[in-house]
Amino acid sequence: MHFDLTDLRLFIHVAESKSLTRGAERSHLSLPAASARVKELENQAGVRLLYRAPRGVALTPAGQSLLQHARILLAQIEYLKGDLQRFGEGVTGHIRVFANTTAVTEFMPEVLATFLNDHPQVDVDLQERLTGEIIRGVLDGTTDLGIVSGPIDDAGLEKHHFSTDRLVLALPLGHRLAGAGKVHFADTLEDDFIGLHEGSTLQTFLNQLMRDVKRQLHIRVQVSNFESLCRMVEAGVGIGVVPESAGIRHSRTMKLVLKELDEPWALRERYVLTRQGAALPSFTQALIDTILRLNRTLAAPGGTAPAVAKAKPPRRPKAAKA
């Protein structure tokens, strides 16, 4: 059985767009050529890979399996190219990272500033995703790295622990719970809440928490980030749950009271996830090392992130050969 890399890339494009036409366009092929390539893939595999319908295509179980393996194979080829290139003009590569809301907004900006300064020829695609999507992406090769908080099923994954994420309650000055010690979350359920946008990892976690106890938070306002959430709390619109790091940072410029939540779920371990047994290119391992190093520095007493050196000039595109 012979698989051409062009065929595998085409199949990924068709599967992701759910359309032979759009998959052909993304692969820069004519529709008849793309259709013939997919049919030849099915002939070689001996099974149907796509369900065809007037409005598009869907993957058969065999097609799902091929998609997963195709992503892994093409990712490994990119890793190979990256490792070989470092022996020439320097590493050039691309890293895709799926991360939860806290990672995207709280510490990855500093991490990437340091990493990209040290690796100017590497590009990073950082996407905010839910925990389930992050895990699936790491397992099927859609993403190179995942960043999550909380308990994780280890099957097929390698976990790199780098810090602890504590969720705290953000209150306005004068709130009835401002003078309390630790706060039980049940004591807040009659309050108005400021929530994050639907689809954010933290909001999804809180919504599931409420479904488990058959209750519902009264979300007065939904916002897109922790800074806006804290601003709403400061103005007295409601209360909110935020990562401790975000709460501390915004309390320096806003009038907030932060309260520790006396709940087992409020303390969550943070991990970088990779696929078990995956061979990582040197620059991907370097990004993991940067995440671990900077977060452990920040977690140390009195720790501060290392100053980021002046950015190196961006790489210039190579001149096309005549």
Side-chain angles (χ1 to χ4, degrees), residues 14-319:
V14 171
E16 290 178 343
S17 61
K18 297 181 175 59
S19 165
L20 269 171
T21 301
R22 289 195 291 274
E25 290 173 352
R26 289 178 60 185
S27 301
H28 307 291
L29 296 170
S30 67
L31 181 58
S35 180
R37 283 179 174 271
V38 171
K39 286 180 180 178
E40 180 58 26
L41 265 180
E42 291 181 317
N43 289 338
Q44 289 201 46
V47 293
R48 176 181 289 186
L49 301 172
L50 297 173
Y51 296 121
R52 294 163 175 83
R55 293 187 177 182
V57 298
L59 295 178
T60 66
Q64 290 281 4
S65 179
L66 176 60
L67 176 62
Q68 179 178 345
H69 287 289
R71 282 170 168 165
I72 292 171
L73 284 170
L74 291 178
Q76 289 298 115
I77 289 172
E78 289 302 312
Y79 294 160
L80 173 62
K81 287 165 58 179
D83 275 349
L84 291 179
Q85 284 171 340
R86 72 187 179 92
F87 295 104
E89 298 180 0
V91 174
T92 60
H94 179 276
I95 306 172
R96 177 173 290 177
V97 182
F98 287 178
N100 61 18
T101 308
T102 305
V104 170
T105 60
E106 288 304 304
F107 61 84
M108 282 305 287
E110 288 76 14
V111 166
L112 292 180
T114 299
F115 173 77
L116 294 174
N117 180 72
D118 294 337
H119 300 82
Q121 292 180 296
V122 177
D123 296 324
V124 177
D125 175 12
L126 176 63
Q127 299 183 24
E128 181 180 339
R129 297 295 183 95
L130 298 178
T131 299
E133 293 178 283
I134 296 170
I135 293 172
R136 286 194 298 273
V138 173
L139 289 173
D140 67 19
T142 308
T143 185
D144 302 300
L145 301 179
I147 303 177
V148 296
S149 301
I152 299 298
D153 183 357
D154 292 8
L157 297 170
E158 289 187 13
K159 302 192 302 183
H160 310 265
H161 179 267
F162 62 90
S163 69
T164 299
D165 173 29
R166 183 188 298 276
L167 298 176
V168 299
L169 192 66
L171 305 170
L173 298 181
H175 189 276
R176 60 185 175 81
L177 296 174
K182 293 183 180 180
V183 176
H184 291 284
F185 196 60
D187 297 334
T188 70
L189 298 184
E190 301 305 319
D191 284 82
D192 293 329
F193 271 78
I194 311 301
L196 291 175
H197 60 90
E198 291 298 331
S200 69
T201 309
L202 178 54
Q203 194 59 50
T204 301
F205 170 75
L206 292 175
N207 291 344
Q208 184 59 54
L209 196 67
M210 291 298 95
R211 283 194 290 271
D212 291 343
V213 296
K214 297 181 172 56
R215 297 289 299 270
Q216 186 172 359
L217 294 179
H218 180 219
I219 304 293
R220 192 77 181 276
V221 178
Q222 287 185 279
V223 295
S224 61
N225 54 63
F226 294 123
E227 181 180 6
S228 298
L229 189 155
C230 289
R231 289 283 294 165
M232 289 289 178
V233 172
E234 180 188 33
V237 178
I239 65 175
V241 175
V242 296
E244 187 175 38
S245 57
I248 291 174
R249 178 158 56 86
H250 293 305
S251 66
R252 294 176 184 142
T253 58
M254 301 180 198
K255 296 177 181 178
L256 301 173
V257 176
L258 303 179
K259 286 295 175 184
E260 187 175 334
L261 285 164
D262 190 10
E263 304 290 346
W265 49 260
L267 202 62
R268 305 187 299 171
E269 302 305 322
R270 288 172 171 166
Y271 303 96
V272 178
L273 302 181
T274 57
R275 191 165 52 85
Q276 197 168 60
L280 301 178
S282 56
F283 52 80
T284 303
Q285 185 60 55
L287 177 55
I288 296 175
D289 293 341
T290 303
I291 293 171
L292 271 57
R293 175 170 52 85
L294 291 191
N295 278 277
R296 285 170 181 167
T297 299
L298 288 169
T304 56
V308 178
K310 184 177 180 181
K312 298 175 183 176
R315 66 181 183 272
R316 296 180 180 178
K318 297 179 181 177

